[in-house]
Structure formats: structure tokens, C-alpha cells
Amino acid sequence: MWELLHGCADHYRYLAKNYDYFHKERHEAKFVSLLKYLDIQPDHIVVDIGSGTGCLAEKVFEKFQLKNPIWCVEPSAEMQEVAKRRKGVLPIQKTAGEFFKDFVDNDQRFDRAMCIGAAHHFGDPVKIYRSIESCLSPSGVLLVELVKDATNTPLFTKAEKGIDALVVGLEENTCAWLRLANFDVEVLEERMDYSVTKSKWYDMLRGRFYSSLRELNDVEIEEGIDELERERKAQRFESPRSHPHFLHVEHIYS
């Protein structure tokens, strides 16, 4: 059963009002990458597990001109309040575990399932993936997106350790869990680049836009930003990607 990690419920309650602002550039770049792998037809039934505010679901709905809304499974009431205002979104305020437990006797089958940047919240991944597999149509596909490497992301030391705790080994484990759930697994790597202003990036850090940042207090965040400032001043004229007001952000997804 997918349960929010300790402190996550409060984190997303706090984050919901700024979530789309913080992730705007990231989601725009991510959607361009996802289009390469989302083979969706207008009559497909799609479910988004861990859908957040429904931002990506709305983009998918509009891009592929879907006839039916995307089922958006997200336990945060505050995130779902934002999702309710979106086009082509069917908000379902449940954890993945709750959703699939209630779905056992449902004849509905999904043609496509998405889990974009949410798989690290699964408490029992194999059980969740088995549930998804049982709810897919015979030709159904599950797309799982993971952060594989954030080494080129401008993070301070304590923030890097928090991200590493989430992503190290996650790809290998997820592949193993999916195979245990009877999926044929194909791994594709996508490099995603985007830029944000320096001031916005610091706002994102202060707003704990990554769930792992919730473990850090305000003093630690400010100390981390000071660390980044010192590094930037030392490297500003050494890197072609460096700029006093903009940050280049690079993630590797698989």
C-alpha cells in the first residue's frame, strides 16, 4: 500500500499553493520528453498515479485529444483542489493502495498508466505494480519516470544527500519490482534541461520543492543557499553555462 512518507502529508499541504509555479519550467521540459514515449490514442483510458496537481495529466489530455478524462490518483486534498480546476482530469483523492484495493471488483481496464516522479513514495512497490498490471488492458502500457541522476542540479551538500537517499539504486530496484509484477521492462534514458532564474531557484529551495528538502530547517536551507552563492561566485566566469542571474538545471531521467 502506498502511504505518504513521514511528514509528506504536511509537506504537500504546504507545497500545493506553489507547486505549479515551482515546477513550471521543469514540467514543460519533462512533457516534451514524455511525448517521445506516450503512445496514446484518443479513445484510450489513462490513469495517472501520484498525479499531484494534475498539470501533466491536463497536458496529456489536450495533446492527445482524449475522449475521456484522465483518472488522477493523488492523496493530497490540497493538490487535488488545484487539479479539480483543470480540463480533462478526474480527481481521485486516494493513495495508490487505497485506489487499487477499492478497484478489485471494477471491470474498468486502463490502456495507459503513468507514474511520473512519484514511485519513490510507494511503501510496497511490488504490490502496487502488481495492482497496476492487473488493471491494464491486454495491450496496456505503464510508464514510470524516475530521477536517475541529479549531479548537475545546483544543490547544496545537505540537499544532495537527501536526493541521493531517494535515487541511489532506485532504477535497479524498480526494474526488479516491475519484473516481479509480470511486466516486460524497457529502460530508456532521457536528459532533460531547463533554466530558471537564480532568485526563483532559491525560492524553490526555500519552498522545499523537492520532498526530501522537508527534512531541512530554515537555517539549514539558508546556509545551503549561501554555499551555492559562494560556489557560483567562484565559478561564474569559468563555465559557459554559468550566469549571474540564471541557473542551468539538468536531470537524467529513466
Side-chain angles (χ1 to χ4, degrees):
M1 181 175 181
W2 178 25
E3 296 293 347
L4 287 173
L5 300 178
H6 178 69
C8 264
D10 287 339
H11 170 75
Y12 284 109
R13 186 178 302 117
Y14 168 80
L15 183 61
K17 64 181 182 296
N18 290 316
Y19 185 85
D20 288 338
Y21 165 68
F22 286 162
H23 290 275
K24 181 179 184 294
E25 294 83 359
R26 187 182 180 208
H27 279 170
E28 288 174 351
K30 184 181 293 189
F31 183 65
V32 171
S33 297
L34 291 176
L35 286 178
K36 301 176 185 178
Y37 310 109
L38 287 173
D39 180 20
I40 297 178
Q41 302 303 313
D43 60 345
H44 277 170
I45 306 298
V46 181
V47 62
D48 186 358
I49 308 298
S51 54
T53 63
C55 173
L56 290 174
E58 182 181 50
K59 290 179 181 293
V60 169
F61 177 84
E62 293 180 336
K63 176 65 178 179
F64 294 98
Q65 300 181 349
L66 295 181
K67 298 176 182 178
N68 299 289
I70 295 178
W71 297 43
C72 288
V73 181
E74 166 62 48
S76 168
E78 291 74 19
M79 300 286 261
Q80 289 286 26
E81 280 300 314
V82 180
K84 289 175 183 176
R85 300 192 289 270
R86 296 194 183 281
K87 181 180 179 182
V89 167
L90 177 63
I92 301 170
Q93 189 187 326
K94 294 181 179 180
T95 67
E98 292 167 344
F99 174 70
F100 288 113
K101 181 179 179 181
D102 296 341
F103 203 79
V104 171
D105 298 322
N106 196 315
D107 293 331
Q108 177 69 63
R109 290 296 177 265
F110 298 105
D111 300 291
R112 296 292 184 268
M114 306 187 302
C115 180
I116 309 302
H120 58 280
H121 287 304
F122 291 171
D124 188 342
V126 176
K127 185 175 182 179
I128 295 301
Y129 292 135
R130 282 175 175 162
S131 297
I132 295 173
E133 194 275 339
S134 69
C135 294
L136 288 175
S137 65
S139 59
V141 174
L142 166 64
L143 176 65
V144 180
E145 180 248 30
L146 307 169
V147 178
K148 178 182 179 181
D149 187 354
T151 54
N152 289 326
T153 304
L155 294 170
F156 52 88
T157 303
K158 287 185 178 180
E160 285 180 349
K161 289 180 179 178
I163 295 294
D164 287 345
L166 289 179
V167 304
V168 171
L170 184 59
E171 179 186 334
E172 294 80 4
N173 290 334
T174 298
C175 289
W177 295 329
L178 286 166
R179 292 188 178 101
L180 286 173
N182 204 34
F183 280 100
D184 294 325
V185 179
E186 181 180 7
V187 178
L188 300 167
E189 186 174 289
E190 185 76 21
R191 188 177 300 274
M192 187 189 76
D193 299 325
Y194 62 96
S195 295
V196 297
T197 64
K198 183 179 71 171
S199 61
K200 178 172 180 177
W201 184 256
Y202 292 168
D203 284 345
M204 291 164 68
L205 292 172
R206 292 183 176 107
R208 277 75 167 181
F209 80 106
Y210 274 140
S211 59
S212 60
L213 291 171
R214 74 183 189 276
E215 303 294 342
L216 303 179
N217 60 40
D218 290 346
V219 172
E220 290 173 309
I221 293 288
E222 294 304 323
E223 289 175 347
I225 290 173
D226 288 343
E227 176 187 323
L228 291 178
E229 276 294 287
R230 290 193 299 272
E231 291 177 356
R232 283 182 55 76
K233 289 176 181 178
Q235 299 174 1
R236 181 173 297 171
F237 300 106
E238 298 175 10
S239 170
R241 288 180 171 180
S242 181
H243 189 283
H245 300 296
F246 288 86
L247 291 171
H248 174 86
V249 184
E250 181 179 284
H251 293 288
I252 299 176
Y253 286 93
S254 61

